[in-house]
Amino acid sequence: MTNGDSSYPVTERLRARCGDGVIECHAHRGDETIVVRADCYHQAVQFLHDDPECDFDFLSDLTAVDRWKLRQSPRFEIILHLYSSRRNARIRLKTRAQDDAAPTVDSIVDVYPAANWPEREVWDMFGVRFAGHPNLKRILMYEEFVGHPLRKDYPVNKRQPLVEERHIPDDRAGMMF
Amino acid sequence: MAVDSQGPGFFTSRLSDGIAWARKWSLFPYPFVTACCGMEYMSVSSAHYDLDRFGAAWPRFSPRQADLLMVVGTISQKMAPILRMVHEQMCDPKWVIAFGVCTCTGGFYDNYATVQGIDRIIPVDCYIPGCPPRPETVLDALMKLQANIQASRHTLTGSVQRPPRH
């Protein structure tokens, strides 16, 4: 707990529902952050969406963090930013994909259809699979691309030319172009 | 006496010069605009800098109607096949100008997504440096290209023998 803010109304409601599935929490100026275990993730999202006291009807963002440089495991963290338009309240929900080699979490497209593209982006850039996603394929990079470029161990200047590069001989003097 | 040993004759060289003169003053650019340099291209095309003075005023958005491919902006690996296709669809003779530092070298995008210079995939006649280039630089490139066209050997069948690079 940080910043001396001791009110955790949403966290407490979620803890009553998910029990020890809530593993961390903190709050800053009334905005709560909750970390849930991966096996409780879908249930927690469903609860935050359905519960009339929470009533988070808008998924404003879904993204991921690679904690590889922190040498932490689980390595991949999924972050949700939820907003309740009726209560004018925000919350940040995090979960951590269990398997570092083949990270997978549940898809929440059935709760928030807006999660469709962000989950594809997270799969494309971080390589986190979403179980139950209706169309999990690359969205920014092309299909032939190898690897997931926002992983911290991906070499940033690696090249994967999609079209064959032109052969340019050393001696250009006699060239047509 | 072999004719070839004396180079082109009077008539063919006059013909080549005439075709070159016609071609250099009637360039039809295909603007392949992808990024911020596009605004600079619009600025050069507008009345203030008046590209029409060089006979290159009318952009054609069909490759078959254009003979000057202006690649304006960053080219990503995902876009590269399309640029290659546009270049292949243009009828000969054709010329290519790389507009801006991203097109020439990838610019500061030294990463997995960006083509590190379009000369890796298509031949380029003229490179315009700068991020973005000054309009004067663009006009200078156009004039250099015109000089290049004038110095090339043209035939009625459409083939162009370009002058060697220096």
Side-chain angles (χ1 to χ4, degrees):
Chain A
M1 297 197 182
T2 55
N3 300 308
D5 192 331
S6 59
S7 73
Y8 293 87
V10 178
T11 309
E12 293 312 318
R13 282 192 72 79
L14 190 64
R15 188 166 278 156
R17 181 78 172 79
C18 296
D20 58 359
V22 177
I23 49 181
E24 282 175 38
C25 68
H26 63 85
H28 178 70
R29 295 179 191 274
D31 283 343
E32 296 166 67
T33 299
I34 308 170
V35 185
V36 296
R37 273 207 326 260
D39 54 341
C40 302
Y41 167 64
H42 189 275
Q43 186 189 19
V45 172
Q46 188 84 58
F47 176 76
L48 293 171
H49 178 267
D50 294 344
D51 182 46
E53 297 281 312
C54 299
D55 201 14
F56 290 102
D57 54 350
F58 178 57
L59 174 79
S60 57
D61 196 17
L62 187 156
T63 185
V65 166
D66 181 3
R67 310 191 299 162
W68 182 69
K69 283 195 173 170
L70 302 173
R71 302 276 182 268
Q72 286 186 348
S73 184
R75 177 175 161 184
F76 294 100
E77 191 170 65
I78 308 297
I79 301 169
L80 266 68
H81 292 163
L82 302 175
Y83 177 69
S84 167
S85 59
R86 281 180 276 276
R87 297 195 302 117
N88 187 26
R90 293 177 192 281
I91 198 165
R92 183 185 299 132
L93 185 76
K94 299 183 182 181
T95 190
R96 286 155 195 168
Q98 280 310 310
D99 188 356
D100 286 354
T104 307
V105 296
D106 290 333
S107 171
I108 56 160
V109 173
D110 53 334
V111 186
Y112 295 101
N116 191 320
W117 282 17
E119 285 186 354
R120 280 176 63 182
E121 189 188 11
V122 168
W123 157 245
D124 190 357
M125 305 312 263
F126 291 93
V128 179
R129 284 202 164 273
F130 289 88
H133 190 283
N135 184 26
L136 194 65
K137 59 174 190 177
R138 288 188 182 275
I139 188 166
L140 290 172
M141 306 308 296
Y142 41 93
E143 283 298 317
E144 298 87 346
F145 195 84
V146 179
H148 303 281
L150 283 194
R151 287 190 175 189
K152 291 291 183 192
D153 54 352
Y154 185 90
V156 70
N157 50 8
K158 188 177 172 181
R159 307 276 183 256
Q160 298 180 34
L162 196 51
V163 297
E164 197 181 335
E165 296 200 350
R166 243 163 32 96
H167 174 65
I168 302 174
D170 289 342
D171 174 29
R172 291 190 173 198
M175 281 190 64
M176 297 290 269
F177 296 103
Chain B
M1 188 171 67
V3 177
D4 286 351
S5 66
Q6 295 180 338
F10 174 80
F11 179 73
T12 48
S13 63
R14 292 306 90 195
L15 183 70
S16 173
D17 288 353
I19 297 173
W21 180 84
R23 281 183 176 154
K24 82 172 187 182
W25 293 116
S26 62
L27 288 167
F28 283 85
Y30 180 108
F32 194 93
V33 174
T34 61
C36 22
C37 267
M39 264 63 82
E40 306 301 322
Y41 170 78
M42 293 173 212
S43 145
V44 184
S45 307
S46 65
H48 192 86
Y49 292 98
D50 192 14
L51 221 53
D52 208 3
R53 289 178 292 163
F54 305 93
W58 286 0
R60 308 305 302 166
F61 295 100
S62 161
R64 300 189 201 287
Q65 297 171 358
D67 58 359
L68 169 60
L69 180 61
M70 289 186 91
V71 185
V72 185
T74 323
I75 300 297
S76 64
Q77 300 284 3
K78 203 173 178 177
M79 211 184 303
I82 298 157
L83 177 64
R84 165 82 66 88
M85 188 179 70
V86 166
H87 182 260
E88 283 170 357
Q89 283 177 341
M90 287 169 65
C91 299
D92 274 323
K94 54 194 169 190
W95 294 272
V96 177
I97 287 182
F99 188 118
V101 68
C102 288
T103 321
C104 297
T105 67
F108 57 72
Y109 300 110
D110 183 12
N111 63 22
Y112 52 88
T114 306
V115 176
Q116 303 294 303
I118 59 162
D119 60 348
R120 287 165 183 259
I121 52 171
I122 57 173
V124 176
D125 292 279
C126 220
Y127 299 87
I128 308 176
C131 179
R134 288 288 307 160
E136 293 83 352
T137 330
V138 180
L139 299 182
D140 184 52
L142 198 60
M143 284 153 62
K144 281 199 163 56
L145 181 68
Q146 286 179 321
N148 185 296
I149 294 171
Q150 184 69 71
S152 304
R153 275 192 61 206
H154 303 253
T155 64
L156 278 177
T157 53
S159 69
V160 177
Q161 193 175 359
R162 291 157 205 254
R165 280 193 165 194
H166 300 294

